Each structure stands twice: as structure tokens, then as C-alpha cells.
Amino acid sequence: MSGQIINGKEIVASIRAEITEQVRELTEQGTQPGLVVIIVGEDPASQVYVRNKAKSCEQVGIYSEVHALPASTTQQELIALIHLFNKDQRIHGILVQSPLPKHINEEAVVDEIDPAKDVDCFHPVNVGNLMIGKDGMKPCTPAGVIEVLKRTGVDIAGKHAVVVGRSNIVGKPMAMLLLREHATVTVCHSRTPNMAEITRQADILVVAVGKAHLIKAEHVKPGAVVIDVGMNRPADGKLTGDVDFEAVKEVAGAITPVPGTVGPMTITMLLQNTVDSARRASQASVRV
Ligand code: GUN
């Protein structure tokens, strides 16, 4: 048996068409959504991500600014810039591209972003809101995974979802969003013994560890839905996921290819967070 290869491009295109329409409506009503992306230093991968984010904004009609700062920028200078954008009414989303140079404390920087503009959903207030199920910012990569599942026709409620990885950016918020969708959730990580025994129980398996080909056919229950969040670039330079795609696609019921699905979905959710933030800002200005 061979699994369905999830068509990320189609899903991304249909959500971006919806976002374009929302941006058009908001802009007509006088609030063009705006995103600022701040990058510090010369990390080449980050420069590519930032360019993709700006290009994606342009495609859906979101106003965007990119601020590229030298690696020598101090933490205070970066925080001063964030404070300016916290007050800037054209800007509804502030994203500080990670990683930052070593002399800057990322947590301290994120703490300074107005939670209402924290489109990454990294600020402790937004992380707390996520935990108690309050509507608001959604963590981009995990929210993208939920959209992919829903738009592939996967019924999440009552399923056993296993998340491999416990990072603050993907694993932990992923578990929280799956729980919100009424899955039974198990989180595995580097200290989990006999991981294959657990992953083989998964109806939905989400893998986000950053280890090329960690998940093999023996880790997967026949018919399971496998979502690969990994983005690894081994010595041969070819972008590859955390799942051994060729082997696992023979066992899985459905599987996401890398690259092609989760990466573009993450940016799509960033656009959606920016639009939602702009909508909340425009509604708040009507109320006062
Ligand atoms: N670096 C790699 N991915 C991300 C992301 O989603 N947000 C931010 N801020 N930095 C990143």
C-alpha cells in the first residue's frame, strides 16, 4: 500500500487566496495589515526566510518592512526599535528573526514585543493564552499543521496524536493545539525509551526534532497520517525532513513531503496572524 502525498501547494494556494480577500476588505475599510520583520546579522538561511516572508506579504497585499541590522547591534538598540514599532499604527505584526547574535538575549527581546503584535506567538502572554484556550495569536508552524490536517480531511477529535520533539516553537505548542482539537496527545523526546513502540500507536504523527530520517517505516502504524516538520540540510546539501519519506510513504495513509508543505504553511499562518491582528486593531479603534 502506498500513502497519499499531501499536496501542500494546493492547500497553501487556497488559504492565501482567502487571506488576499481578507486583506482587500480590511484595506478598503481603512486598515491595511502591516508586518515588520527585523533581522540582525548575516545568517544566510535567515536572509532567505526574511525575503520569502516579505515576498509573501506583497503577494497577498500586506504592507511589509524589513529592517536588516548589523551583527554589532546592541540589545538596547534592538529593543528601542521594537518599542517604536509597538507604537506604529501601520504595523500589526512584529517578527524578530531568530537566531540572534550571541550577545543578544532572545527571551528578553521577545518580552518587549507588544503581545497584540507578536505574530510568532512567542511572548509569554500569548503562550499562556494558548495554554488556557483563549483566542488570539497562534503559533505559526503548529497552526499550519492543524490547517493541513483539517484541509486533508483528517478528523482530529478522539485520535491518538504523537508529537516527537518538545521545542517551545513547535513540539510544545503543537501538543497544545492538538489537545484543543480533542486529540489524545503523547509527546516523545530524546529521553523517551522505546520511542517506536509509542509512535507506532499514533493515528497522527507529527515529527519536529531536526534529525534527518529519524523516523523509519518501523515507527509508523499502517494508515497513519505523518506530518514532517523537519528541515535538515545534510552534507549533500539536499533539504530533507525528519522522516525517511521513501520508506514511510509505503506504510502511512498520508504524508507531507519536505520541502513543500509545512514551510510554506508556516509563512501562510504568519500572514493570517498579521491579518487577524490588524482586524482586532481596527475593531478596537471603532470601539473607542
Ligand atoms: N527562524 C526560523 N523560523 C523562525 C520563525 O518562525 N520565527 C522567527 N522569529 N524566527 C525564525
Side-chain angles (χ1 to χ4, degrees):
M1 192 190 68
S2 190
Q4 174 200 352
I5 310 225
I6 294 174
N7 189 339
K9 279 206 182 97
E10 224 171 71
I11 298 173
V12 164
S14 72
I15 302 177
R16 290 204 188 181
E18 292 165 20
I19 292 175
T20 305
E21 185 56 26
Q22 294 169 31
V23 172
R24 198 185 57 73
E25 272 176 30
L26 275 165
T27 306
E28 271 178 18
Q29 292 158 14
T31 307
Q32 182 185 17
L35 173 73
V36 63
V37 180
I38 304 171
I39 176 170
V40 185
E42 312 280 316
D43 181 56
S46 291
Q47 287 173 334
V48 174
Y49 294 144
V50 165
R51 267 202 301 276
N52 280 341
K53 285 168 186 169
K55 201 172 99 194
S56 304
C57 282
E58 199 182 313
Q59 284 164 349
V60 299
I62 292 177
Y63 167 74
S64 76
E65 287 181 22
V66 175
H67 285 254
L69 307 177
S72 58
T73 303
T74 66
Q75 186 168 311
Q76 277 148 317
E77 285 167 337
L78 177 56
I79 288 175
L81 187 63
I82 288 169
H83 287 169
L84 282 181
F85 287 119
N86 281 344
K87 288 195 230 110
D88 188 335
Q89 297 207 355
R90 285 170 313 167
I91 296 298
H92 308 97
I94 302 172
L95 184 147
V96 180
Q97 185 68 26
S98 170
L100 289 170
K102 291 212 167 27
H103 65 275
I104 299 181
N105 178 331
E106 293 207 25
E107 264 183 35
V109 168
V110 167
D111 283 352
E112 296 300 322
I113 299 175
D114 177 352
K117 298 189 179 188
D118 165 39
V119 280
D120 263 327
C121 196
F122 290 170
H123 191 286
V125 165
N126 288 325
V127 175
N129 284 339
L130 173 71
M131 185 95 180
I132 59 175
K134 230 173 151 177
D135 275 343
M137 290 302 181
K138 289 189 187 144
C140 298
T141 301
V145 171
I146 297 288
E147 278 299 318
V148 166
L149 290 170
K150 286 185 175 172
R151 289 179 189 240
T152 307
V154 177
D155 191 9
I156 305 171
K159 297 282 162 53
H160 187 186
V162 175
V163 179
V164 185
R166 55 172 160 175
S167 69
N168 287 337
I169 298 184
V170 185
K172 281 190 232 170
M174 186 74 251
M176 215 46 70
L177 288 186
L178 286 162
L179 204 50
R180 247 199 216 189
E181 299 294 330
H182 313 291
T184 300
V185 183
T186 305
V187 181
C188 296
H189 49 79
S190 51
R191 303 280 186 93
T192 304
N194 306 323
M195 195 178 74
E197 271 174 35
I198 298 167
T199 56
R200 266 205 306 271
Q201 295 170 29
D203 303 306
I204 299 167
L205 180 61
V206 183
V207 192
V209 275
K211 270 198 179 159
H213 292 187
L214 176 77
I215 300 297
K216 313 266 188 216
E218 70 259 28
H219 290 89
V220 177
K221 177 165 83 175
V225 179
V226 179
I227 309 286
D228 189 352
V229 184
M231 292 251 260
N232 310 291
R233 211 177 274 281
D236 68 5
K238 194 165 167 261
L239 199 63
T240 179
D242 291 348
V243 176
D244 182 347
F245 182 81
E246 291 306 321
V248 172
K249 82 176 191 323
E250 302 302 322
V251 184
I255 183 167
T256 58
V258 177
T261 305
V262 173
M265 272 305 291
T266 295
I267 297 187
T268 305
M269 293 296 105
L270 170 71
L271 304 176
Q272 186 68 67
N273 271 344
T274 306
V275 171
D276 291 345
S277 171
R279 188 179 296 111
R280 283 191 290 269
S282 75
Q283 285 162 353
S285 70
V286 168
R287 274 202 299 275
V288 281

